[in-house]
Amino acid sequence: MLTYRFTQAITRTPGADFAQGLTTSSLGPPNYALMLHQHAAYVDVLRSLGLLVTILPALPGYPDAYFVEDPAIVVPEAAIITHPGAPSRRGEADAIMPALTPHRPVQRIQPPGTLDGGDVLIIGKRAFIGISERTNSQGAEQLGRILEQHGYTWTGVPVGAGLHLKSSVNYVGNNILLISQSFAGRSEFTDYRQIVLGPGEEYACNTLLINETLITPQGFPSVYQELAALDRRVIELDASEARKMDGGLTCMSLRF
Ligand code: CIR
């Protein structure tokens, strides 16, 4: 099942303080000029796919705010503003709201529930909500109830290791998931065919499906080959600087 067609995206320019964002990576210090360059290339690709892209300005004091996927979830029926799991990111929720109110009725996750959009994988009318370091079971339950109001079913998925659910599992169309070894075969995902990525390839699980096109991180040639064998266009993008900050291609936009 294909998710609905995207016509728009919201992104945010990385701030000069972006290197102060949260990270567990040991890939070295990120470079701001390169980050801006890679972000601009990302926006260019979204535009080349026909999306109308809104670029919000950097948000001083919130170095992770360009990972706009986390403070909101957008479905055709609503926008849900989250209560991000990391205290340093909570202010991003109010900041993203004005960009969404023109497009969707807005609902909100309330504390003590916490939720990051990176934990939310929606495939058609089915939602998988990761319970992770950032998303607690109250947050998942609140989102699940909101989605139920709009006709969705949902399943909570314990994430264990890794930042978010979508660090390890993403939908690539045609009923296929791109999934890390540690999630492969889990009971929640048995309805899908799975392309399992092995050790060293996990980062490429964070591949973004925009309508018929897959955008995948550069540097994973065998993953590229597997994706190219699907009946889709595949675009590689260098996400090295976002990766140093534990982020990837899905994290840097809200699509709707
Ligand atoms: C964080 O730790 O919150 C950011 N440095 C990275 C967030 C990545 N977002 C995502 O995977 N959706």
Side-chain angles (χ1 to χ4, degrees):
M1 164 181 284
L2 192 62
T3 46
Y4 70 101
R5 272 197 94 70
F6 299 126
T7 58
Q8 297 207 37
I10 293 172
T11 64
R12 187 185 288 286
T13 302
D17 60 355
F18 89 111
Q20 281 144 43
L22 301 169
T23 189
T24 57
S25 124
S26 47
L27 295 169
N31 177 292
Y32 186 46
L34 189 54
M35 178 73 237
L36 288 178
H37 176 75
Q38 292 177 353
H39 193 267
Y42 177 79
V43 168
D44 282 349
V45 165
L46 298 184
R47 287 189 169 140
S48 77
L49 298 177
L51 301 193
L52 181 64
V53 182
T54 301
I55 307 176
L56 303 174
L59 196 61
Y62 292 95
D64 282 315
Y66 62 105
F67 293 124
V68 286
E69 180 177 68
D70 293 318
I73 291 107
V74 187
V75 289
E77 302 83 0
I80 299 101
I81 306 295
T82 71
H83 184 61
S88 66
R89 301 197 59 187
R90 300 238 159 105
E92 295 174 31
D94 281 343
I96 199 83
M97 188 142 70
L100 291 168
T101 45
H103 302 290
R104 296 287 190 277
V106 168
Q107 295 176 269
R108 283 197 87 137
I109 302 300
Q110 302 293 345
T114 65
L115 185 89
D116 277 13
D119 278 315
V120 183
L121 173 64
I122 296 185
I123 307 171
K125 282 287 196 179
R126 194 153 177 204
F128 295 94
I129 308 176
I131 317 283
S132 69
E133 278 173 29
R134 301 290 177 86
T135 297
N136 64 18
S137 44
Q138 293 109 306
E141 184 85 22
Q142 285 183 40
L143 178 65
R145 298 272 169 257
I146 290 170
L147 291 174
E148 280 173 5
Q149 292 164 18
H150 301 298
Y152 293 75
T153 57
W154 67 282
T155 308
V157 184
V159 169
L163 178 56
H164 290 127
L165 177 62
K166 284 191 288 190
S167 310
S168 302
V169 188
N170 282 278
Y171 185 64
V172 293
N174 295 346
N175 212 49
I176 303 170
L177 296 174
L178 198 56
I179 192 164
S180 71
Q181 236 162 39
S182 53
F183 281 79
R186 292 254 302 251
S187 59
E188 296 92 340
F189 300 117
T190 47
D191 288 349
Y192 299 89
R193 216 188 105 197
Q194 302 186 355
I195 298 175
V196 181
L197 301 192
E201 292 182 325
E202 294 90 347
Y203 183 71
C205 289
N206 195 256
T207 286
L208 172 60
L209 174 63
I210 303 272
N211 302 332
E212 286 80 33
T213 302
L214 290 165
I215 309 172
T216 195
Q218 195 175 299
F220 300 91
S222 59
V223 179
Y224 178 85
Q225 290 306 329
E226 292 212 61
L227 296 175
L230 305 173
D231 191 17
R232 299 197 176 277
R233 182 172 168 214
V234 186
I235 297 174
E236 287 180 291
L237 266 182
D238 193 350
S240 65
E241 303 314 283
R243 186 180 185 188
K244 291 174 184 168
M245 302 312 299
D246 282 349
L249 296 171
T250 72
C251 322
M252 292 192 287
S253 60
L254 281 166
R255 292 75 54 185
F256 55 98

